Amino acid sequence: MYNEGKEVREAISAGERALSSLQEAEQYLDSARTWGAVDIFGGNMFSGLMKHSKIEKASQAMDRAKYDLREFQRELNDVQNLQNMNINVGDFMTFADFFFDGLIVDFMVQSRINDARRQVKDAIWRVENILGQLRMQI
């Protein structure tokens, strides 16, 4: 038997997990961007190590976000009266996979960090928008 309230609450819970993972990735990317700027403009081995440490943590958070976004999409599919609520997980997952391949040149790294930040911010906005619509149904 379909229980709309239950399905909406499950979708909200999954969306909140995805949002949390995305926000964590955003924080690490912000930090990586800062360390990347230091590294470009006269940094040393320490700044390079810090930048790569933050990139690694951002990568882990983005992996969690990909999983959480997939779960959120599954839960959204269970809510029958929602139309056109698709977070387009595929685009984010492809980008997240591409982002961390072959980081070599500092400027390229900085550019990819900035691109990733924009993608994460966009995903956060989409998840927040959908969560707002879901909360209005409770």
Side-chain angles (χ1 to χ4, degrees), residues 6-90:
K6 177 181 179 269
E7 296 299 339
V8 170
R9 284 189 297 280
E10 288 175 352
I12 289 171
S13 179
E16 288 172 345
R17 284 189 303 275
L19 184 59
S20 177
S21 297
L22 288 164
Q23 289 169 334
E24 182 182 4
E26 180 183 34
Q27 290 172 349
Y28 284 122
L29 288 167
D30 285 345
S31 183
R33 183 178 75 156
T34 300
W35 282 108
V38 169
D39 199 29
I40 288 170
F41 298 109
N44 55 26
M45 188 165 66
F46 177 75
S47 61
L49 290 173
M50 288 302 295
K51 174 183 68 178
H52 288 287
S53 170
K54 299 302 180 182
I55 288 171
E56 178 61 31
K57 288 180 180 180
S59 175
Q60 292 167 0
M62 289 173 79
D63 284 343
R64 280 190 300 281
K66 287 190 305 187
Y67 174 82
D68 291 341
L69 285 168
R70 276 191 223 108
E71 291 299 311
F72 185 35
Q73 186 63 63
R74 275 193 270 273
E75 292 298 337
L76 285 175
N77 292 338
D78 291 344
V79 179
Q80 290 180 354
N81 64 346
L82 295 181
Q83 296 176 3
N84 300 323
M85 283 202 180
N86 185 337
I87 53 175
N88 208 2
V89 175

Side-chain angles (χ1 to χ4, degrees), residues 78-128:
D78 291 344
V79 179
Q80 290 180 354
N81 64 346
L82 295 181
Q83 296 176 3
N84 300 323
M85 283 202 180
N86 185 337
I87 53 175
N88 208 2
V89 175
D91 289 347
F92 178 77
M93 290 188 295
T94 300
F95 179 81
D97 288 340
F98 166 76
F99 172 71
F100 294 101
D101 288 342
L103 300 175
I104 300 170
V105 179
D106 286 340
F107 286 108
M108 183 187 296
V109 171
Q110 197 69 3
S111 174
R112 287 187 179 181
I113 289 169
N114 288 330
D115 289 345
R117 285 181 68 250
R118 280 190 289 280
Q119 290 284 329
V120 167
K121 284 181 181 295
D122 180 57
I124 288 170
W125 179 85
R126 287 186 275 164
V127 169
E128 287 175 338

Side-chain angles (χ1 to χ4, degrees), residues 12 85 126-137:
I12 289 171
M85 283 202 180
R126 287 186 275 164
V127 169
E128 287 175 338
N129 185 27
I130 293 170
L131 282 172
Q133 292 177 47
L134 288 168
R135 288 182 179 121
M136 289 191 305
Q137 293 189 6

